Amino acid sequence: MADTGGWSTIESDEGLFTSLIENLGVKNVQFEELISLDADTIRSLGSVYGVIFLFKWTREAAGARAEAPLDGTYDQTASEKVFFAAQTIQNACGTQAILSVILNHDSPPPPLPPISIGAELRSFKDFTTGFPPELRGEALSNSEAIRTAHNSFARASPFADETARPQDEENAADVYHFIAYTPVNGTLYELDGLQPYPISHGACDPSSFPEKVIEVLQRRIARYPPEETHFNLMAVVQDPRPRAREIGDVETLEREERKRAAWAWENTLRRWNFVGFIGEMMKGVARMKETQDGSGKAFDEWVNNAKTATQKRLNMRR
């Protein structure tokens, strides 16, 4: 959603989300992108704490702040037992959805192992205990530690877009939103900061979560036109590396370490802009073309060919 209040837009990416929570002190948890919408895929991931769902936001499909949700029921007393924060600032919905899962599983009932949330998030959760959703959302938005961790994964850009203006909800063309689904205290909850309360989807425990959440997601996706494909789903799971070390599963450990190395490289690239590098490269090519025949004709021909090719592509698009 549009940038405001110092929170940058971040991508929906498993390596980014994993690094984000690790920067906040969370241990032994990672994200896995789900490329198929079936319960067996979720179950194959082992201990699953919840899923993060990214979708194109429309008022009609989301049922924004209606008297009753389009699916499920509002649980107006859930905030006493469920960590739920209203979204009070734009662009924070990704991190907010992540915390909606993480902070509800620091002491879950068996068989899920508890998440070690670290000192920073423990202090934040303890501080906001008993807060209503709106005040909890304000506290989250004003958390310097959480905002810094979130913004550290914004794409680097040397340009400031002076023409950018926030889009209003009625006319926004492509606005995307993150929400969380997670089982808490025997209930499947949909935690969407744009809704007034957590949404209950009925009885659910960790063993039945894969089937239950897939049913809810299929109903939600069915509210969109058949041609709409802009969805992304990620599971919040236990890091498999400690278990692999414990049982001597070398293959799994090596696979996961390669994955972590790839994530680290991709996150490094996200923090770096290549405008200076590209500029210097273009200067070098231009100098080479200018001196190729001593007359500058090769440079002019190169530029004209590029213009012709660009115009051809534009004509084809029209």
Side-chain angles (χ1 to χ4, degrees):
M1 308 188 115
D3 187 22
T4 183
W7 290 72
S8 301
T9 302
I10 60 173
E11 297 177 62
S12 178
D13 179 83
E14 55 187 353
L16 185 156
F17 284 1
T18 301
S19 295
L20 192 159
I21 62 171
E22 288 178 345
N23 288 352
L24 286 170
V26 178
K27 293 182 174 62
N28 298 329
V29 175
Q30 69 183 40
F31 292 79
E32 293 286 350
E33 186 170 5
L34 298 171
I35 58 176
S36 61
L37 200 62
D38 66 88
D40 288 339
T41 300
I42 297 178
R43 185 170 285 105
S44 69
L45 298 174
S47 297
V48 179
Y49 297 100
V51 297
I52 307 297
F53 184 54
L54 172 68
F55 58 95
K56 184 184 289 186
W57 190 92
T58 65
R59 182 177 295 278
E60 294 75 17
R65 302 193 74 85
E67 292 183 5
L70 298 179
D71 190 16
T73 57
Y74 285 135
D75 188 342
Q76 299 187 29
T77 65
S79 59
E80 300 173 5
K81 55 189 176 181
V82 176
F83 177 86
F84 174 70
Q87 185 177 327
T88 62
I89 190 168
Q90 294 173 333
N91 279 352
C93 60
T95 295
Q96 189 157 328
I98 293 169
L99 296 182
S100 293
V101 175
I102 299 296
L103 296 184
N104 277 306
H105 289 283
D106 55 326
S107 57
L112 282 178
I115 295 177
S116 175
I117 63 175
E120 188 67 48
L121 291 182
R122 169 58 59 197
S123 175
F124 173 79
K125 184 176 182 180
D126 290 346
F127 173 71
T128 59
T129 297
F131 283 15
E134 291 76 13
L135 188 55
R136 189 175 279 163
E138 287 290 345
L140 192 157
S141 300
N142 291 321
S143 169
E144 185 66 27
I146 297 174
R147 183 171 62 247
T148 299
H150 171 101
N151 285 344
S152 68
F153 293 96
R155 281 195 174 275
S157 174
F159 304 114
D161 187 357
E162 299 292 343
T163 66
R165 294 290 183 271
Q167 295 174 313
D168 61 67
E169 291 181 347
E170 298 289 347
N171 300 317
D174 292 319
V175 177
Y176 293 90
H177 184 52
F178 292 91
I179 61 175
Y181 291 93
T182 185
V184 184
N185 298 321
T187 301
L188 173 58
Y189 282 107
E190 175 184 330
L191 302 177
D192 178 356
L194 296 181
Q195 299 292 350
Y197 309 102
I199 297 173
S200 168
H201 290 284
C204 178
D205 57 28
S207 62
S208 62
F209 174 71
E211 284 82 11
K212 293 281 188 179
V213 75
I214 291 299
E215 292 172 4
V216 174
L217 288 169
Q218 287 175 337
R219 292 197 298 269
R220 187 182 193 102
I221 292 173
R223 299 204 293 263
Y224 285 83
E227 64 273 13
E228 178 57 59
T229 60
H230 293 85
F231 303 104
N232 182 263
L233 185 66
M234 274 187 286
V236 188
V237 304
Q238 192 176 29
D239 184 347
R241 293 178 300 168
R243 177 60 176 166
R245 294 189 188 101
E246 181 181 332
I247 64 175
D249 187 347
V250 177
E251 182 179 350
T252 296
L253 185 58
E254 290 180 347
R255 184 185 66 244
E256 291 299 321
E257 292 295 354
R258 287 195 300 271
K259 183 192 299 183
R260 292 294 181 121
W263 287 350
W265 173 245
E266 291 165 2
N267 287 334
T268 299
L269 295 180
R270 285 187 177 93
R271 295 187 176 100
W272 191 262
N273 77 74
F274 295 90
V275 173
F277 168 75
I278 294 171
E280 291 301 317
M281 182 178 68
M282 293 301 295
K283 289 177 185 178
V285 173
R287 282 194 296 268
M288 181 186 70
K289 291 291 185 180
E290 286 178 335
T291 59
Q292 187 170 339
D293 59 2
S295 66
K297 290 182 179 179
F299 177 79
D300 294 337
E301 182 181 357
W302 176 56
V303 172
N304 290 332
N305 288 341
K307 289 180 178 178
T308 301
T310 301
Q311 187 61 49
K312 183 178 180 180
R313 286 194 294 270
L314 291 174
N315 292 338
M316 289 177 67
R317 289 176 184 172
R318 294 194 188 101

